[in-house]
Amino acid sequence: MVTITNVGGAPGGEAFLLETEGKTALVDSGFAYSAPRMIANIKDVLRGRPLDYVLLTHSHYDHASGSAYVRAAWPDVTVAGSAYAKKILEKPSARAVMREMNDNAARIAGADGYEDRTDRLHIDLAMAEGDEIDLGPAKLRVIEAPGHTKCCIAFWCGEEKLLLSCETLGVDAGGGVVMPCYMVGYALAMESVGKLAALGAEKILTPHRGLLEGEACAAFIENAVYWNTEFMRRAEEGMRAGKGEAELAREFKELFYTPYMAEVQPEKAFDLNLSYTIPMLVREIDQGIGNK
Ligand SMILES: [Zn+2]
């Protein structure tokens, strides 16, 4: 039995604590500024049990930053992520973007003055498709799921039909709308979504939102597929009608940057992601990829 608790230190910096009888693991680790609160939340739940793993679904600042603070609190913790994420976290240019985005999130929350540990970000265990994390009674199998970033991975717990999803599957924008999170490839993301959908999950831990169970799982996947393909369709139609990237970006933002989404994603971060998303769609439409 895996129990899951949201221990995030701030909205948008969600992190989920997994506990089995054998081991404990944190899925994602939130912003830098919210890490002290998150660590206090983890300690409240663990009551002296060690934290064995941090599992990073990808290298973005709102998922990976807290891991540097977790390591100070639990020096024996193993931080796991994809080999690609490991490389990215060591790049000075990626660290500079993370620092800037963390500063922005902290400023919005009125929490500037936090300790910057970006230079200590490090993945100990580089994982690839099929690798396993052993949580005792539950095993987590790595599923590479690129599309949001190239470094995205999900984890599958067959014993519980539990999918620890990543943003390639999209993020709930409220009202049945799932925001497409494809940034590096539409075809790539759709392939990953198909792979995750085929697992037949009965529980899905979704980034920023938490655990879905039963029928909500199939509904989420259906909505994710719908909105992924629907925005691609609108982009293709828009381009045929002579719309430019700026107009497509405006339409994307109008659809998906809902007040509910704004609660978990600063506008600056949304805009940064969008600055990759639209050119990627245009590129793939030009290449003849899309719904046709
Ligand atoms: Zn992300």
Side-chain angles (χ1 to χ4, degrees):
M1 178 74 183
V2 182
T3 59
I4 301 175
T5 313
N6 183 357
V7 290
E14 287 72 21
F16 299 93
L17 184 63
L18 309 186
E19 293 173 277
T20 71
E21 281 160 39
K23 299 276 181 183
T24 62
L26 185 70
V27 180
D28 287 328
S29 61
F31 305 116
Y33 85 84
S34 60
R37 170 76 60 83
M38 175 186 73
I39 286 167
N41 292 343
I42 296 169
K43 286 182 173 168
D44 279 350
V45 178
L46 289 184
R47 297 177 194 215
R49 269 188 98 179
L51 180 66
D52 297 303
Y53 293 100
V54 178
L55 310 175
L56 299 179
T57 61
H58 63 300
S59 62
H60 277 167
Y61 83 109
D62 53 332
H63 296 258
S65 297
S67 60
Y69 305 79
V70 167
R71 197 191 292 287
W74 289 276
D76 294 332
V77 76
T78 298
V79 178
S82 69
Y84 203 80
K86 181 177 167 73
K87 246 200 271 176
I88 290 170
L89 289 184
E90 281 158 17
K91 272 169 67 172
S93 57
R95 288 180 169 184
V97 173
M98 291 180 85
R99 197 172 279 121
E100 187 189 336
M101 301 312 282
N102 270 314
D103 283 348
N104 176 64
R107 204 176 314 118
I108 292 168
D112 20 26
Y114 69 94
E115 189 194 346
D116 174 22
R117 289 195 190 167
T118 313
D119 285 337
R120 291 188 229 171
L121 284 169
H122 174 67
I123 286 176
D124 308 302
L125 181 60
M127 307 200 77
E129 180 82 23
D131 287 351
E132 275 194 349
I133 295 275
D134 189 349
L135 295 184
K139 313 263 182 288
L140 303 178
R141 178 161 56 86
V142 170
I143 299 171
E144 291 178 348
H148 172 55
T149 62
K150 289 180 185 165
C151 68
C152 275
I153 52 174
F155 296 87
W156 172 244
C157 175
E159 290 88 351
E160 307 227 351
K161 292 197 176 294
L162 164 67
L163 172 63
L164 309 175
S165 161
C166 62
E167 283 178 349
T168 297
L169 196 51
V171 172
D172 178 13
V177 176
V178 174
M179 177 174 80
C181 293
Y182 35 55
M183 278 172 53
V184 295
Y186 173 79
L188 192 63
M190 292 308 288
E191 196 183 314
S192 294
V193 168
K195 206 157 107 178
L196 299 178
L199 293 165
E202 291 173 6
K203 296 178 194 172
I204 302 178
L205 183 65
T206 65
H208 298 298
R209 301 303 188 194
L211 191 66
L212 302 174
E213 293 187 72
E215 284 170 13
C217 295
F220 181 82
I221 289 175
E222 196 179 306
N223 287 339
V225 170
Y226 173 80
W227 286 106
N228 275 357
T229 48
E230 174 61 14
F231 193 81
M232 179 49 135
R233 191 193 65 74
R234 291 186 194 194
E236 285 174 303
E237 199 178 81
M239 276 178 69
R240 274 197 301 273
K243 287 180 187 171
E245 289 187 10
E247 198 166 345
L248 296 177
R250 216 165 23 246
E251 286 177 13
F252 188 97
K253 195 165 179 174
E254 233 169 66
L255 273 171
F256 302 115
Y257 201 57
T258 59
Y260 187 58
M261 187 60 68
E263 284 172 20
V264 295
Q265 190 174 39
E267 191 170 9
K268 189 179 164 88
F270 180 92
D271 288 342
L272 178 66
N273 286 359
L274 193 51
S275 75
Y276 291 96
T277 304
I278 301 299
M280 178 281 292
L281 287 177
V282 167
R283 200 166 53 237
E284 294 203 9
I285 291 166
D286 282 341
Q287 290 165 359
I289 301 166
N291 298 318
K292 303 200 179 78

